[in-house]
PDB file of all heavy atoms in Angstrom:
ATOM      1  N   LEU A   1       0.837  -1.222   0.004  1.00  0.00           N
ATOM      2  CA  LEU A   1       0.006   0.008  -0.014  1.00  0.00           C
ATOM      3  C   LEU A   1       0.848   1.261   0.004  1.00  0.00           C
ATOM      4  O   LEU A   1       0.602   2.212   0.737  1.00  0.00           O
ATOM      5  CB  LEU A   1      -0.908  -0.021   1.215  1.00  0.00           C
ATOM      6  CG  LEU A   1      -1.865  -1.210   1.316  1.00  0.00           C
ATOM      7  CD1 LEU A   1      -2.605  -1.192   2.652  1.00  0.00           C
ATOM      8  CD2 LEU A   1      -2.784  -1.262   0.139  1.00  0.00           C
ATOM      9  N   GLY A   2       1.847   1.306  -0.845  1.00  0.00           N
ATOM     10  CA  GLY A   2       2.709   2.455  -0.970  1.00  0.00           C
ATOM     11  C   GLY A   2       4.077   2.058  -1.445  1.00  0.00           C
ATOM     12  O   GLY A   2       4.277   0.926  -1.925  1.00  0.00           O
ATOM     13  N   MET A   3       5.056   2.950  -1.290  1.00  0.00           N
ATOM     14  CA  MET A   3       6.385   2.707  -1.790  1.00  0.00           C
ATOM     15  C   MET A   3       7.416   3.434  -0.913  1.00  0.00           C
ATOM     16  O   MET A   3       7.241   4.639  -0.599  1.00  0.00           O
ATOM     17  CB  MET A   3       6.511   3.196  -3.219  1.00  0.00           C
ATOM     18  CG  MET A   3       7.887   3.110  -3.872  1.00  0.00           C
ATOM     19  SD  MET A   3       7.799   3.649  -5.575  1.00  0.00           S
ATOM     20  CE  MET A   3       9.573   3.789  -5.924  1.00  0.00           C
ATOM     21  N   LEU A   4       8.430   2.693  -0.457  1.00  0.00           N
ATOM     22  CA  LEU A   4       9.582   3.353   0.226  1.00  0.00           C
ATOM     23  C   LEU A   4      10.559   3.828  -0.834  1.00  0.00           C
ATOM     24  O   LEU A   4      10.890   3.047  -1.728  1.00  0.00           O
ATOM     25  CB  LEU A   4      10.232   2.352   1.176  1.00  0.00           C
ATOM     26  CG  LEU A   4       9.320   1.630   2.178  1.00  0.00           C
ATOM     27  CD1 LEU A   4      10.154   0.867   3.206  1.00  0.00           C
ATOM     28  CD2 LEU A   4       8.374   2.582   2.868  1.00  0.00           C
ATOM     29  N   CYS A   5      11.008   5.043  -0.751  1.00  0.00           N
ATOM     30  CA  CYS A   5      11.617   5.679  -1.876  1.00  0.00           C
ATOM     31  C   CYS A   5      13.121   5.908  -1.757  1.00  0.00           C
ATOM     32  O   CYS A   5      13.635   6.272  -0.681  1.00  0.00           O
ATOM     33  CB  CYS A   5      10.966   7.062  -2.124  1.00  0.00           C
ATOM     34  SG  CYS A   5       9.168   6.923  -2.383  1.00  0.00           S
ATOM     35  N   ALA A   6      13.791   5.825  -2.872  1.00  0.00           N
ATOM     36  CA  ALA A   6      15.228   6.238  -3.048  1.00  0.00           C
ATOM     37  C   ALA A   6      15.212   7.638  -3.561  1.00  0.00           C
ATOM     38  O   ALA A   6      14.189   8.220  -3.955  1.00  0.00           O
ATOM     39  CB  ALA A   6      15.900   5.289  -4.014  1.00  0.00           C
ATOM     40  N   GLU A   7      16.391   8.300  -3.534  1.00  0.00           N
ATOM     41  CA  GLU A   7      16.536   9.683  -3.955  1.00  0.00           C
ATOM     42  C   GLU A   7      16.027   9.938  -5.343  1.00  0.00           C
ATOM     43  O   GLU A   7      15.226  10.863  -5.609  1.00  0.00           O
ATOM     44  CB  GLU A   7      17.981  10.128  -3.866  1.00  0.00           C
ATOM     45  CG  GLU A   7      18.542  10.371  -2.523  1.00  0.00           C
ATOM     46  CD  GLU A   7      19.949  10.937  -2.554  1.00  0.00           C
ATOM     47  OE1 GLU A   7      20.464  11.207  -3.668  1.00  0.00           O
ATOM     48  OE2 GLU A   7      20.545  11.149  -1.479  1.00  0.00           O
ATOM     49  N   ASP A   8      16.491   9.098  -6.293  1.00  0.00           N
ATOM     50  CA  ASP A   8      16.148   9.365  -7.689  1.00  0.00           C
ATOM     51  C   ASP A   8      14.636   9.116  -7.991  1.00  0.00           C
ATOM     52  O   ASP A   8      14.086   9.705  -8.879  1.00  0.00           O
ATOM     53  CB  ASP A   8      16.979   8.503  -8.627  1.00  0.00           C
ATOM     54  CG  ASP A   8      16.721   7.004  -8.482  1.00  0.00           C
ATOM     55  OD1 ASP A   8      16.366   6.561  -7.352  1.00  0.00           O
ATOM     56  OD2 ASP A   8      16.901   6.304  -9.481  1.00  0.00           O
ATOM     57  N   GLU A   9      13.985   8.282  -7.158  1.00  0.00           N
ATOM     58  CA  GLU A   9      12.597   8.013  -7.401  1.00  0.00           C
ATOM     59  C   GLU A   9      11.685   9.169  -7.075  1.00  0.00           C
ATOM     60  O   GLU A   9      10.566   9.210  -7.606  1.00  0.00           O
ATOM     61  CB  GLU A   9      12.166   6.737  -6.568  1.00  0.00           C
ATOM     62  CG  GLU A   9      12.842   5.471  -7.080  1.00  0.00           C
ATOM     63  CD  GLU A   9      12.720   4.284  -6.142  1.00  0.00           C
ATOM     64  OE1 GLU A   9      12.527   4.516  -4.925  1.00  0.00           O
ATOM     65  OE2 GLU A   9      12.749   3.169  -6.619  1.00  0.00           O
ATOM     66  N   ILE A  10      12.136  10.087  -6.248  1.00  0.00           N
ATOM     67  CA  ILE A  10      11.283  11.250  -5.937  1.00  0.00           C
ATOM     68  C   ILE A  10      11.889  12.566  -6.461  1.00  0.00           C
ATOM     69  O   ILE A  10      11.346  13.636  -6.244  1.00  0.00           O
ATOM     70  CB  ILE A  10      11.022  11.380  -4.412  1.00  0.00           C
ATOM     71  CG1 ILE A  10      12.321  11.561  -3.654  1.00  0.00           C
ATOM     72  CG2 ILE A  10      10.245  10.194  -3.888  1.00  0.00           C
ATOM     73  CD1 ILE A  10      12.107  11.902  -2.166  1.00  0.00           C
ATOM     74  N   GLY A  11      13.002  12.434  -7.170  1.00  0.00           N
ATOM     75  CA  GLY A  11      13.559  13.591  -7.849  1.00  0.00           C
ATOM     76  C   GLY A  11      14.441  14.487  -6.996  1.00  0.00           C
ATOM     77  O   GLY A  11      14.711  15.657  -7.393  1.00  0.00           O
ATOM     78  N   VAL A  12      14.897  14.027  -5.825  1.00  0.00           N
ATOM     79  CA  VAL A  12      15.751  14.918  -4.991  1.00  0.00           C
ATOM     80  C   VAL A  12      17.191  14.592  -5.098  1.00  0.00           C
ATOM     81  O   VAL A  12      18.044  15.252  -4.456  1.00  0.00           O
ATOM     82  CB  VAL A  12      15.309  14.778  -3.487  1.00  0.00           C
ATOM     83  CG1 VAL A  12      13.900  15.181  -3.278  1.00  0.00           C
ATOM     84  CG2 VAL A  12      15.590  13.357  -2.951  1.00  0.00           C
ATOM     85  N   GLY A  13      17.560  13.620  -5.947  1.00  0.00           N
ATOM     86  CA  GLY A  13      18.984  13.285  -6.114  1.00  0.00           C
ATOM     87  C   GLY A  13      19.095  12.216  -7.188  1.00  0.00           C
ATOM     88  O   GLY A  13      18.129  11.965  -7.957  1.00  0.00           O
ATOM     89  N   THR A  14      20.253  11.570  -7.263  1.00  0.00           N
ATOM     90  CA  THR A  14      20.504  10.581  -8.290  1.00  0.00           C
ATOM     91  C   THR A  14      20.762   9.169  -7.721  1.00  0.00           C
ATOM     92  O   THR A  14      20.843   8.204  -8.447  1.00  0.00           O
ATOM     93  CB  THR A  14      21.690  10.984  -9.142  1.00  0.00           C
ATOM     94  OG1 THR A  14      22.856  11.107  -8.306  1.00  0.00           O
ATOM     95  CG2 THR A  14      21.400  12.281  -9.885  1.00  0.00           C
ATOM     96  N   ALA A  15      20.924   9.049  -6.404  1.00  0.00           N
ATOM     97  CA  ALA A  15      21.269   7.770  -5.802  1.00  0.00           C
ATOM     98  C   ALA A  15      20.105   6.764  -5.905  1.00  0.00           C
ATOM     99  O   ALA A  15      18.932   7.130  -5.727  1.00  0.00           O
ATOM    100  CB  ALA A  15      21.592   7.984  -4.305  1.00  0.00           C
ATOM    101  N   HIS A  16      20.454   5.491  -6.230  1.00  0.00           N
ATOM    102  CA  HIS A  16      19.451   4.448  -6.307  1.00  0.00           C
ATOM    103  C   HIS A  16      19.970   3.159  -5.618  1.00  0.00           C
ATOM    104  O   HIS A  16      19.519   2.073  -5.948  1.00  0.00           O
ATOM    105  CB  HIS A  16      19.084   4.196  -7.774  1.00  0.00           C
ATOM    106  CG  HIS A  16      17.898   3.311  -7.942  1.00  0.00           C
ATOM    107  ND1 HIS A  16      16.615   3.743  -7.615  1.00  0.00           N
ATOM    108  CD2 HIS A  16      17.805   2.038  -8.340  1.00  0.00           C
ATOM    109  CE1 HIS A  16      15.774   2.763  -7.868  1.00  0.00           C
ATOM    110  NE2 HIS A  16      16.443   1.657  -8.316  1.00  0.00           N
ATOM    111  N   ASP A  17      20.936   3.275  -4.720  1.00  0.00           N
ATOM    112  CA  ASP A  17      21.498   2.065  -4.105  1.00  0.00           C
ATOM    113  C   ASP A  17      20.727   1.678  -2.868  1.00  0.00           C
ATOM    114  O   ASP A  17      21.102   0.697  -2.177  1.00  0.00           O
ATOM    115  CB  ASP A  17      22.946   2.308  -3.771  1.00  0.00           C
ATOM    116  CG  ASP A  17      23.203   3.541  -2.930  1.00  0.00           C
ATOM    117  OD1 ASP A  17      22.227   4.353  -2.739  1.00  0.00           O
ATOM    118  OD2 ASP A  17      24.327   3.762  -2.475  1.00  0.00           O
ATOM    119  N   GLY A  18      19.676   2.439  -2.527  1.00  0.00           N
ATOM    120  CA  GLY A  18      18.872   2.091  -1.375  1.00  0.00           C
ATOM    121  C   GLY A  18      17.850   3.170  -1.117  1.00  0.00           C
ATOM    122  O   GLY A  18      17.934   4.233  -1.716  1.00  0.00           O
ATOM    123  N   ILE A  19      16.941   2.896  -0.175  1.00  0.00           N
ATOM    124  CA  ILE A  19      15.972   3.922   0.170  1.00  0.00           C
ATOM    125  C   ILE A  19      16.620   5.043   1.008  1.00  0.00           C
ATOM    126  O   ILE A  19      17.713   4.853   1.572  1.00  0.00           O
ATOM    127  CB  ILE A  19      14.800   3.329   0.984  1.00  0.00           C
ATOM    128  CG1 ILE A  19      15.298   2.628   2.239  1.00  0.00           C
ATOM    129  CG2 ILE A  19      13.963   2.403   0.081  1.00  0.00           C
ATOM    130  CD1 ILE A  19      14.202   2.180   3.152  1.00  0.00           C
ATOM    131  N   ILE A  20      16.000   6.186   1.075  1.00  0.00           N
ATOM    132  CA  ILE A  20      16.447   7.305   1.857  1.00  0.00           C
ATOM    133  C   ILE A  20      16.195   6.954   3.330  1.00  0.00           C
ATOM    134  O   ILE A  20      15.044   6.654   3.688  1.00  0.00           O
ATOM    135  CB  ILE A  20      15.697   8.635   1.482  1.00  0.00           C
ATOM    136  CG1 ILE A  20      15.942   8.960  -0.005  1.00  0.00           C
ATOM    137  CG2 ILE A  20      16.163   9.764   2.375  1.00  0.00           C
ATOM    138  CD1 ILE A  20      15.024  10.051  -0.502  1.00  0.00           C
ATOM    139  N   VAL A  21      17.189   7.049   4.156  1.00  0.00           N
ATOM    140  CA  VAL A  21      17.041   6.858   5.612  1.00  0.00           C
ATOM    141  C   VAL A  21      17.285   8.219   6.278  1.00  0.00           C
ATOM    142  O   VAL A  21      18.328   8.817   6.119  1.00  0.00           O
ATOM    143  CB  VAL A  21      18.016   5.833   6.108  1.00  0.00           C
ATOM    144  CG1 VAL A  21      17.852   5.628   7.627  1.00  0.00           C
ATOM    145  CG2 VAL A  21      17.775   4.469   5.422  1.00  0.00           C
ATOM    146  N   LEU A  22      16.271   8.667   7.064  1.00  0.00           N
ATOM    147  CA  LEU A  22      16.301   9.997   7.664  1.00  0.00           C
ATOM    148  C   LEU A  22      16.755   9.888   9.114  1.00  0.00           C
ATOM    149  O   LEU A  22      16.758   8.833   9.742  1.00  0.00           O
ATOM    150  CB  LEU A  22      14.904  10.586   7.582  1.00  0.00           C
ATOM    151  CG  LEU A  22      14.264  10.652   6.222  1.00  0.00           C
ATOM    152  CD1 LEU A  22      12.857  11.243   6.346  1.00  0.00           C
ATOM    153  CD2 LEU A  22      15.107  11.487   5.277  1.00  0.00           C
ATOM    154  N   PRO A  23      17.102  11.034   9.711  1.00  0.00           N
ATOM    155  CA  PRO A  23      17.438  11.066  11.159  1.00  0.00           C
ATOM    156  C   PRO A  23      16.224  10.614  11.995  1.00  0.00           C
ATOM    157  O   PRO A  23      15.075  10.824  11.605  1.00  0.00           O
ATOM    158  CB  PRO A  23      17.762  12.515  11.385  1.00  0.00           C
ATOM    159  CG  PRO A  23      18.206  13.050  10.086  1.00  0.00           C
ATOM    160  CD  PRO A  23      17.379  12.342   9.066  1.00  0.00           C
ATOM    161  N   GLN A  24      16.532  10.042  13.148  1.00  0.00           N
ATOM    162  CA  GLN A  24      15.465   9.493  14.014  1.00  0.00           C
ATOM    163  C   GLN A  24      14.559  10.564  14.560  1.00  0.00           C
ATOM    164  O   GLN A  24      13.406  10.235  14.954  1.00  0.00           O
ATOM    165  CB  GLN A  24      16.108   8.719  15.140  1.00  0.00           C
ATOM    166  CG  GLN A  24      16.599   7.329  14.710  1.00  0.00           C
ATOM    167  CD  GLN A  24      15.498   6.397  14.327  1.00  0.00           C
ATOM    168  OE1 GLN A  24      14.441   6.311  14.974  1.00  0.00           O
ATOM    169  NE2 GLN A  24      15.661   5.677  13.225  1.00  0.00           N
ATOM    170  N   ASP A  25      15.019  11.789  14.646  1.00  0.00           N
ATOM    171  CA  ASP A  25      14.163  12.816  15.258  1.00  0.00           C
ATOM    172  C   ASP A  25      13.095  13.410  14.299  1.00  0.00           C
ATOM    173  O   ASP A  25      12.366  14.273  14.735  1.00  0.00           O
ATOM    174  CB  ASP A  25      15.005  13.938  15.870  1.00  0.00           C
ATOM    175  CG  ASP A  25      15.891  14.634  14.846  1.00  0.00           C
ATOM    176  OD1 ASP A  25      15.926  14.181  13.657  1.00  0.00           O
ATOM    177  OD2 ASP A  25      16.547  15.626  15.162  1.00  0.00           O
ATOM    178  N   VAL A  26      13.041  12.971  13.080  1.00  0.00           N
ATOM    179  CA  VAL A  26      12.023  13.455  12.163  1.00  0.00           C
ATOM    180  C   VAL A  26      10.707  12.788  12.440  1.00  0.00           C
ATOM    181  O   VAL A  26      10.635  11.549  12.375  1.00  0.00           O
ATOM    182  CB  VAL A  26      12.427  13.281  10.703  1.00  0.00           C
ATOM    183  CG1 VAL A  26      11.368  13.854   9.743  1.00  0.00           C
ATOM    184  CG2 VAL A  26      13.822  13.835  10.412  1.00  0.00           C
ATOM    185  N   PRO A  27       9.654  13.521  12.790  1.00  0.00           N
ATOM    186  CA  PRO A  27       8.379  12.865  13.129  1.00  0.00           C
ATOM    187  C   PRO A  27       7.744  12.164  11.956  1.00  0.00           C
ATOM    188  O   PRO A  27       7.739  12.619  10.800  1.00  0.00           O
ATOM    189  CB  PRO A  27       7.496  14.045  13.605  1.00  0.00           C
ATOM    190  CG  PRO A  27       8.432  15.138  13.905  1.00  0.00           C
ATOM    191  CD  PRO A  27       9.585  14.956  12.957  1.00  0.00           C
ATOM    192  N   ALA A  28       7.170  10.977  12.230  1.00  0.00           N
ATOM    193  CA  ALA A  28       6.380  10.256  11.228  1.00  0.00           C
ATOM    194  C   ALA A  28       5.173  11.136  10.831  1.00  0.00           C
ATOM    195  O   ALA A  28       4.582  11.761  11.661  1.00  0.00           O
ATOM    196  CB  ALA A  28       5.911   8.925  11.761  1.00  0.00           C
ATOM    197  N   GLY A  29       4.882  11.146   9.552  1.00  0.00           N
ATOM    198  CA  GLY A  29       3.777  11.903   9.061  1.00  0.00           C
ATOM    199  C   GLY A  29       4.167  13.300   8.533  1.00  0.00           C
ATOM    200  O   GLY A  29       3.360  14.000   7.867  1.00  0.00           O
ATOM    201  N   THR A  30       5.437  13.668   8.774  1.00  0.00           N
ATOM    202  CA  THR A  30       5.915  14.967   8.211  1.00  0.00           C
ATOM    203  C   THR A  30       5.881  14.939   6.736  1.00  0.00           C
ATOM    204  O   THR A  30       6.398  14.052   6.080  1.00  0.00           O
ATOM    205  CB  THR A  30       7.387  15.266   8.681  1.00  0.00           C
ATOM    206  OG1 THR A  30       7.431  15.264  10.095  1.00  0.00           O
ATOM    207  CG2 THR A  30       7.870  16.543   8.096  1.00  0.00           C
ATOM    208  N   PRO A  31       5.229  15.902   6.088  1.00  0.00           N
ATOM    209  CA  PRO A  31       5.217  15.913   4.620  1.00  0.00           C
ATOM    210  C   PRO A  31       6.639  16.075   4.101  1.00  0.00           C
ATOM    211  O   PRO A  31       7.488  16.804   4.573  1.00  0.00           O
ATOM    212  CB  PRO A  31       4.448  17.199   4.262  1.00  0.00           C
ATOM    213  CG  PRO A  31       3.571  17.466   5.464  1.00  0.00           C
ATOM    214  CD  PRO A  31       4.415  17.008   6.648  1.00  0.00           C
ATOM    215  N   ALA A  32       6.957  15.211   3.064  1.00  0.00           N
ATOM    216  CA  ALA A  32       8.309  15.253   2.478  1.00  0.00           C
ATOM    217  C   ALA A  32       8.620  16.646   1.949  1.00  0.00           C
ATOM    218  O   ALA A  32       9.787  17.102   1.928  1.00  0.00           O
ATOM    219  CB  ALA A  32       8.412  14.235   1.392  1.00  0.00           C
ATOM    220  N   ARG A  33       7.599  17.366   1.477  1.00  0.00           N
ATOM    221  CA  ARG A  33       7.765  18.698   0.961  1.00  0.00           C
ATOM    222  C   ARG A  33       8.395  19.607   2.037  1.00  0.00           C
ATOM    223  O   ARG A  33       9.297  20.418   1.744  1.00  0.00           O
ATOM    224  CB  ARG A  33       6.445  19.262   0.532  1.00  0.00           C
ATOM    225  CG  ARG A  33       6.470  20.700   0.061  1.00  0.00           C
ATOM    226  CD  ARG A  33       5.078  21.261  -0.225  1.00  0.00           C
ATOM    227  NE  ARG A  33       5.165  22.622  -0.713  1.00  0.00           N
ATOM    228  CZ  ARG A  33       5.350  22.970  -2.003  1.00  0.00           C
ATOM    229  NH1 ARG A  33       5.452  22.007  -2.904  1.00  0.00           N
ATOM    230  NH2 ARG A  33       5.396  24.258  -2.354  1.00  0.00           N
ATOM    231  N   ASP A  34       7.895  19.444   3.306  1.00  0.00           N
ATOM    232  CA  ASP A  34       8.455  20.260   4.391  1.00  0.00           C
ATOM    233  C   ASP A  34       9.873  19.805   4.779  1.00  0.00           C
ATOM    234  O   ASP A  34      10.713  20.659   5.033  1.00  0.00           O
ATOM    235  CB  ASP A  34       7.503  20.153   5.568  1.00  0.00           C
ATOM    236  CG  ASP A  34       6.170  20.812   5.355  1.00  0.00           C
ATOM    237  OD1 ASP A  34       5.998  21.525   4.336  1.00  0.00           O
ATOM    238  OD2 ASP A  34       5.205  20.547   6.138  1.00  0.00           O
ATOM    239  N   TYR A  35      10.070  18.522   4.791  1.00  0.00           N
ATOM    240  CA  TYR A  35      11.410  18.001   5.180  1.00  0.00           C
ATOM    241  C   TYR A  35      12.480  18.474   4.193  1.00  0.00           C
ATOM    242  O   TYR A  35      13.561  18.922   4.622  1.00  0.00           O
ATOM    243  CB  TYR A  35      11.380  16.492   5.261  1.00  0.00           C
ATOM    244  CG  TYR A  35      12.760  15.951   5.602  1.00  0.00           C
ATOM    245  CD1 TYR A  35      13.236  15.962   6.922  1.00  0.00           C
ATOM    246  CD2 TYR A  35      13.608  15.465   4.602  1.00  0.00           C
ATOM    247  CE1 TYR A  35      14.506  15.498   7.239  1.00  0.00           C
ATOM    248  CE2 TYR A  35      14.878  15.003   4.918  1.00  0.00           C
ATOM    249  CZ  TYR A  35      15.288  15.031   6.221  1.00  0.00           C
ATOM    250  OH  TYR A  35      16.605  14.595   6.550  1.00  0.00           O
ATOM    251  N   PHE A  36      12.178  18.438   2.935  1.00  0.00           N
ATOM    252  CA  PHE A  36      13.175  18.874   1.902  1.00  0.00           C
ATOM    253  C   PHE A  36      13.126  20.380   1.612  1.00  0.00           C
ATOM    254  O   PHE A  36      13.826  20.869   0.786  1.00  0.00           O
ATOM    255  CB  PHE A  36      12.957  18.087   0.625  1.00  0.00           C
ATOM    256  CG  PHE A  36      13.363  16.610   0.736  1.00  0.00           C
ATOM    257  CD1 PHE A  36      12.383  15.648   0.805  1.00  0.00           C
ATOM    258  CD2 PHE A  36      14.657  16.265   0.832  1.00  0.00           C
ATOM    259  CE1 PHE A  36      12.750  14.295   0.885  1.00  0.00           C
ATOM    260  CE2 PHE A  36      15.010  14.898   0.962  1.00  0.00           C
ATOM    261  CZ  PHE A  36      14.050  13.936   0.963  1.00  0.00           C
ATOM    262  N   GLN A  37      12.258  21.079   2.343  1.00  0.00           N
ATOM    263  CA  GLN A  37      12.146  22.512   2.228  1.00  0.00           C
ATOM    264  C   GLN A  37      11.899  22.961   0.798  1.00  0.00           C
ATOM    265  O   GLN A  37      12.544  23.878   0.282  1.00  0.00           O
ATOM    266  CB  GLN A  37      13.392  23.204   2.761  1.00  0.00           C
ATOM    267  CG  GLN A  37      13.616  22.925   4.260  1.00  0.00           C
ATOM    268  CD  GLN A  37      14.879  23.584   4.782  1.00  0.00           C
ATOM    269  OE1 GLN A  37      15.759  24.061   4.068  1.00  0.00           O
ATOM    270  NE2 GLN A  37      14.977  23.628   6.092  1.00  0.00           N
ATOM    271  N   LEU A  38      10.959  22.279   0.137  1.00  0.00           N
ATOM    272  CA  LEU A  38      10.584  22.653  -1.219  1.00  0.00           C
ATOM    273  C   LEU A  38       9.826  23.993  -1.241  1.00  0.00           C
ATOM    274  O   LEU A  38       9.123  24.297  -0.285  1.00  0.00           O
ATOM    275  CB  LEU A  38       9.755  21.587  -1.853  1.00  0.00           C
ATOM    276  CG  LEU A  38      10.328  20.171  -1.980  1.00  0.00           C
ATOM    277  CD1 LEU A  38       9.425  19.334  -2.855  1.00  0.00           C
ATOM    278  CD2 LEU A  38      11.770  20.215  -2.498  1.00  0.00           C
ATOM    279  N   GLU A  39       9.981  24.727  -2.287  1.00  0.00           N
ATOM    280  CA  GLU A  39       9.334  26.010  -2.407  1.00  0.00           C
ATOM    281  C   GLU A  39       8.892  26.234  -3.834  1.00  0.00           C
ATOM    282  O   GLU A  39       9.594  25.913  -4.769  1.00  0.00           O
ATOM    283  CB  GLU A  39      10.212  27.153  -1.933  1.00  0.00           C
ATOM    284  CG  GLU A  39      11.526  27.281  -2.667  1.00  0.00           C
ATOM    285  CD  GLU A  39      12.451  28.349  -2.165  1.00  0.00           C
ATOM    286  OE1 GLU A  39      12.207  28.845  -1.057  1.00  0.00           O
ATOM    287  OE2 GLU A  39      13.396  28.692  -2.861  1.00  0.00           O
ATOM    288  N   ASP A  40       7.648  26.788  -3.984  1.00  0.00           N
ATOM    289  CA  ASP A  40       7.232  27.220  -5.295  1.00  0.00           C
ATOM    290  C   ASP A  40       7.918  28.518  -5.605  1.00  0.00           C
ATOM    291  O   ASP A  40       8.275  29.285  -4.727  1.00  0.00           O
ATOM    292  CB  ASP A  40       5.710  27.374  -5.351  1.00  0.00           C
ATOM    293  CG  ASP A  40       4.998  26.007  -5.212  1.00  0.00           C
ATOM    294  OD1 ASP A  40       5.604  25.003  -5.598  1.00  0.00           O
ATOM    295  OD2 ASP A  40       3.832  26.005  -4.793  1.00  0.00           O
ATOM    296  N   ASP A  41       8.095  28.821  -6.859  1.00  0.00           N
ATOM    297  CA  ASP A  41       8.794  29.994  -7.259  1.00  0.00           C
ATOM    298  C   ASP A  41       8.148  30.561  -8.574  1.00  0.00           C
ATOM    299  O   ASP A  41       7.311  29.901  -9.154  1.00  0.00           O
ATOM    300  CB  ASP A  41      10.287  29.687  -7.499  1.00  0.00           C
ATOM    301  CG  ASP A  41      11.181  30.903  -7.488  1.00  0.00           C
ATOM    302  OD1 ASP A  41      10.652  32.003  -7.376  1.00  0.00           O
ATOM    303  OD2 ASP A  41      12.424  30.732  -7.638  1.00  0.00           O
ATOM    304  N   TYR A  42       8.568  31.743  -8.918  1.00  0.00           N
ATOM    305  CA  TYR A  42       8.192  32.321 -10.233  1.00  0.00           C
ATOM    306  C   TYR A  42       9.459  32.691 -10.957  1.00  0.00           C
ATOM    307  O   TYR A  42      10.394  33.271 -10.384  1.00  0.00           O
ATOM    308  CB  TYR A  42       7.334  33.548 -10.050  1.00  0.00           C
ATOM    309  CG  TYR A  42       5.896  33.238  -9.625  1.00  0.00           C
ATOM    310  CD1 TYR A  42       5.572  33.125  -8.294  1.00  0.00           C
ATOM    311  CD2 TYR A  42       4.888  33.031 -10.609  1.00  0.00           C
ATOM    312  CE1 TYR A  42       4.232  32.787  -7.919  1.00  0.00           C
ATOM    313  CE2 TYR A  42       3.626  32.757 -10.221  1.00  0.00           C
ATOM    314  CZ  TYR A  42       3.287  32.631  -8.887  1.00  0.00           C
ATOM    315  OH  TYR A  42       2.006  32.293  -8.530  1.00  0.00           O
ATOM    316  N   LEU A  43       9.539  32.312 -12.238  1.00  0.00           N
ATOM    317  CA  LEU A  43      10.703  32.595 -13.045  1.00  0.00           C
ATOM    318  C   LEU A  43      10.349  33.767 -13.953  1.00  0.00           C
ATOM    319  O   LEU A  43       9.383  33.716 -14.754  1.00  0.00           O
ATOM    320  CB  LEU A  43      11.108  31.413 -13.854  1.00  0.00           C
ATOM    321  CG  LEU A  43      12.431  31.505 -14.647  1.00  0.00           C
ATOM    322  CD1 LEU A  43      13.568  31.591 -13.628  1.00  0.00           C
ATOM    323  CD2 LEU A  43      12.587  30.295 -15.517  1.00  0.00           C
TER     324      LEU A  43
END
């Protein structure tokens, strides 16, 4: 019922040798958008 992701699978990098493992203090349920500090922009 979902997918555990590597860097290249979500577009945040090129690594594909394993899934992304985060620090233990990151709360479960945190949107990945917030964790990676994504921002919309205007060009």
